[in-house]
Amino acid sequence: MLPLHTETPCVLRRRGKRTLTPAMLEARDELMQPPPDCPEKYALLNVLRALPRALGLSRNAYLLLLRMVEKTPTESWEMLKTPFIYAHNSTLMSWTGLSLTALRRAVRELAEAKMLVPCDGRNGQRGKRWQGAEGEIQVGFNLGALRYRWPGILGKLEEEKRRRSQVSFLRDAIADLNETVRQSADASGDQAVAMEAARIMRLRRGTEQTETLTAYYDAMKALFANVQMAGKPVDKVPKNSSEPVHNASKCTPEVAPMDAQTGTHYTERKNNQTLDVVVVAPKRRNRIETMRCAGQEAPIDLGENRERSALRGFRGTAMFYLSVCPDLRDLCPTSTPNRDELADAAEQISGQLGISFQSWRVGCSILGKFEAAVAVIVMAARRDHGESIRHPDAYFRSLVDRGARNTLFLDRSLYALRDIHGVERVDMALAPPKMQRLRSSKRGEARPS
């Protein structure tokens, strides 16, 4: 059986005239339709300057696009007007400092990226000088195609902001671990670990790739784990020794541990102060002694199961957190992660959201690492459901402050997310199969675990 012939869009090649590709023809046809938005000139310039590499253009094409937008009149970007530029090749070369060959390649790249529409002469001559009469198209470049690219450019700007926040987060995390690793290595005299940590610190400044920085962060964590293991004291008990092993109950008074009964520790030469003579309240009640004894009888539980926990007893499985926040699936090493793996994945998501590493570290110290991770998961889930968080770092700090004042109720947010997820699953079950595939692709539920 002969293979079926598939029609491919043809490229218009004309001798002595500009070759038109399907992308260039599509951009030219778009000019006949109303644009989705009409941004101002300087708003467009500011966004383009913030995306030197995210647009996917070469350096020459990017600089040429900036110069063209800068040279257009400001009023031409108003609604019902056309931003148009006409300039000789020599003028464009003087603006950008490019050669003629590099200029033609840059124009070609911008035209195929649908950033501009070349307008040629009456006979299709490239660059033929022809001013034209009223109502006729002049020779030059129509920059109105940027109005149709504006929504996509704004989306790339948001992605670039998240990427830069994640890069800053990873760099700060590496620097924070470096302090502990270097101090421990200097104390133990391990120069190899100290030199490796210094090398990672230098390399982290030479890249902005999140994958590379994540690898550097994992290497620094491995060094931190090795230093911790090397710094743990090992209790060695002599096998063939008749000497008894000293324990806490047989310590001398100078090194005995303190408790509520012994009071403040003093040596034999200065043991003339006791807590019995301290009176800090009326009726001669020793409140310091009472508080110390009460603290030993009922110690405060600072773990994740404490009474002041922001989760308020909410028990969520790993599948629950993966379902309400699908971004965790790509970051967790297994399909059924434990609490530590979920916390590590949420730590990476916090950098993508725009939370600084300093705020994350403060949140872990106040709420605990898992509860801080749950707060990040709630923020990411709200963002996936269309809610906008203007300042994620300030929002996360406010959650931490509420947790410190015992006014943070993460269980309510998790119950609400569970109800929303349940309603979405019911809607998908009742929807047609085609709509189910569309919704699952939008929500990211079709991604492999």
Side-chain angles (χ1 to χ4, degrees):
M1 176 180 287
L2 296 176
L4 297 177
H5 177 69
T6 57
E7 296 183 358
T8 58
C10 59
V11 178
L12 299 181
R13 300 184 182 276
R14 302 169 296 175
R15 185 177 179 83
K17 300 178 182 180
R18 191 185 303 273
T19 301
L20 300 179
T21 61
M24 297 168 64
L25 294 174
E26 184 180 353
R28 188 177 63 180
D29 296 339
E30 280 182 346
L31 297 177
M32 307 303 295
Q33 303 174 3
D37 197 359
C38 294
E40 298 180 356
K41 172 184 174 179
Y42 293 103
L44 177 62
L45 271 176
N46 292 335
V47 174
L48 292 178
R49 288 168 180 166
L51 302 173
R53 290 179 294 272
L55 295 176
L57 300 174
S58 63
R59 182 176 180 273
N60 293 340
Y62 175 72
L63 293 178
L64 178 60
L65 180 63
L66 288 181
R67 295 297 178 268
M68 284 185 172
V69 176
E70 288 174 356
K71 297 299 181 179
T72 52
T74 306
E75 59 273 7
S76 64
W77 290 94
E78 298 176 357
M79 193 175 295
L80 303 179
K81 291 187 178 180
T82 302
F84 193 89
I85 186 170
Y86 173 80
H88 290 282
N89 287 340
S90 58
T91 306
L92 295 175
M93 291 164 60
S94 64
W95 288 351
T96 58
L98 302 176
S99 63
L100 182 59
T101 303
L103 176 65
R104 289 175 177 174
R105 289 177 181 173
V107 170
R108 186 80 182 177
E109 184 179 353
L110 291 175
E112 291 183 355
K114 298 192 288 188
M115 297 290 182
L116 55 82
V117 176
C119 300
D120 300 322
R122 287 175 292 183
N123 298 325
Q125 300 289 332
R126 291 183 299 175
K128 182 71 174 179
R129 184 177 177 85
W130 175 67
Q131 291 300 113
E134 295 183 0
E136 296 179 350
I137 299 178
Q138 298 180 357
V139 174
F141 302 99
N142 191 341
L143 298 179
L146 289 173
R147 293 173 173 172
Y148 301 88
R149 309 282 84 77
W150 180 246
I153 292 175
L154 290 180
K156 291 182 179 180
L157 179 63
E158 294 298 326
E159 294 178 1
E160 184 68 11
K161 287 181 179 180
R162 289 195 294 268
R163 189 191 68 82
R164 291 177 181 175
S165 299
Q166 188 177 10
V167 167
S168 177
F169 180 85
L170 289 173
R171 286 178 174 174
D172 293 343
I174 293 173
D176 184 72
L177 285 177
N178 174 71
E179 294 293 334
T180 307
V181 171
R182 294 287 292 274
Q183 291 178 3
S184 302
D186 293 340
S188 61
D190 194 347
Q191 295 298 325
V193 174
M195 293 179 63
E196 181 64 18
R199 187 185 71 87
I200 294 175
M201 284 290 291
R202 290 193 303 267
L203 291 177
R204 91 190 208 283
R205 285 295 181 185
T207 180
E208 292 187 355
Q209 300 294 329
T210 56
E211 295 82 5
T212 307
L213 288 172
T214 303
Y216 292 157
Y217 180 55
D218 294 338
M220 188 66 77
K221 285 199 300 185
L223 291 178
F224 178 70
N226 293 336
V227 169
Q228 278 189 330
M229 293 297 296
K232 286 185 178 180
V234 180
D235 297 332
K236 296 183 179 180
V237 180
K239 297 181 179 179
N240 300 324
S241 177
S242 60
E243 296 180 0
V245 179
H246 294 281
N247 50 29
S249 61
K250 297 182 180 181
C251 291
T252 60
E254 292 187 352
V255 295
M258 294 184 295
D259 56 9
Q261 278 68 32
T262 57
T264 307
H265 176 70
Y266 294 96
T267 61
E268 294 179 352
R269 290 173 296 178
K270 188 179 179 181
N271 199 15
N272 55 358
Q273 299 184 21
T274 60
L275 289 176
D276 297 334
V277 298
V278 179
V279 179
V280 294
K283 299 182 182 180
R284 303 186 62 85
R285 291 180 301 174
N286 192 341
R287 297 181 62 186
I288 296 179
E289 183 72 18
T290 304
M291 293 171 62
R292 182 173 296 176
C293 294
Q296 287 196 355
E297 292 174 359
I300 300 175
D301 185 12
L302 297 178
E304 295 172 351
N305 297 325
R306 63 188 186 276
E307 293 181 359
R308 297 169 60 88
S309 171
L311 293 175
R312 310 290 175 174
F314 183 88
R315 295 182 179 180
T317 61
M319 295 305 299
F320 168 75
Y321 291 112
L322 294 178
S323 60
V324 298
C325 184
D327 294 340
L328 292 172
R329 298 177 180 176
D330 297 335
L331 302 175
C332 292
T334 60
S335 59
T336 56
N338 54 25
R339 282 196 166 194
D340 295 335
E341 294 173 347
L342 284 174
D344 293 340
E347 181 179 354
Q348 300 185 39
I349 292 179
S350 64
Q352 299 176 5
L353 290 176
I355 301 172
S356 64
F357 180 74
Q358 182 67 23
S359 300
W360 166 259
R361 186 169 59 178
V362 172
C364 292
S365 62
I366 294 178
L367 299 178
K369 188 173 183 180
F370 183 71
E371 292 185 3
V374 172
V376 172
I377 291 173
V378 170
M379 293 176 59
R382 288 177 176 175
R383 184 197 64 182
D384 294 340
H385 284 87
E387 298 185 18
S388 61
I389 302 176
R390 289 187 178 181
H391 305 287
D393 191 55
Y395 186 85
F396 181 76
R397 289 199 303 267
S398 66
L399 294 181
V400 174
D401 181 65
R402 288 170 55 190
R405 291 184 284 108
N406 198 23
T407 57
L408 179 62
F409 302 94
L410 291 177
D411 58 331
R412 301 178 182 178
S413 301
L414 293 174
Y415 281 125
L417 290 175
R418 186 185 66 179
D419 296 340
I420 294 174
H421 183 67
V423 171
E424 290 180 351
R425 294 183 62 181
V426 172
D427 292 343
M428 287 188 63
L430 298 178
K434 185 176 181 180
M435 187 62 67
Q436 291 181 10
R437 291 192 297 269
L438 179 61
R439 290 183 178 178
S440 62
S441 63
K442 288 183 178 180
R443 291 286 299 138
E445 296 179 357
R447 274 184 276 175
S449 59

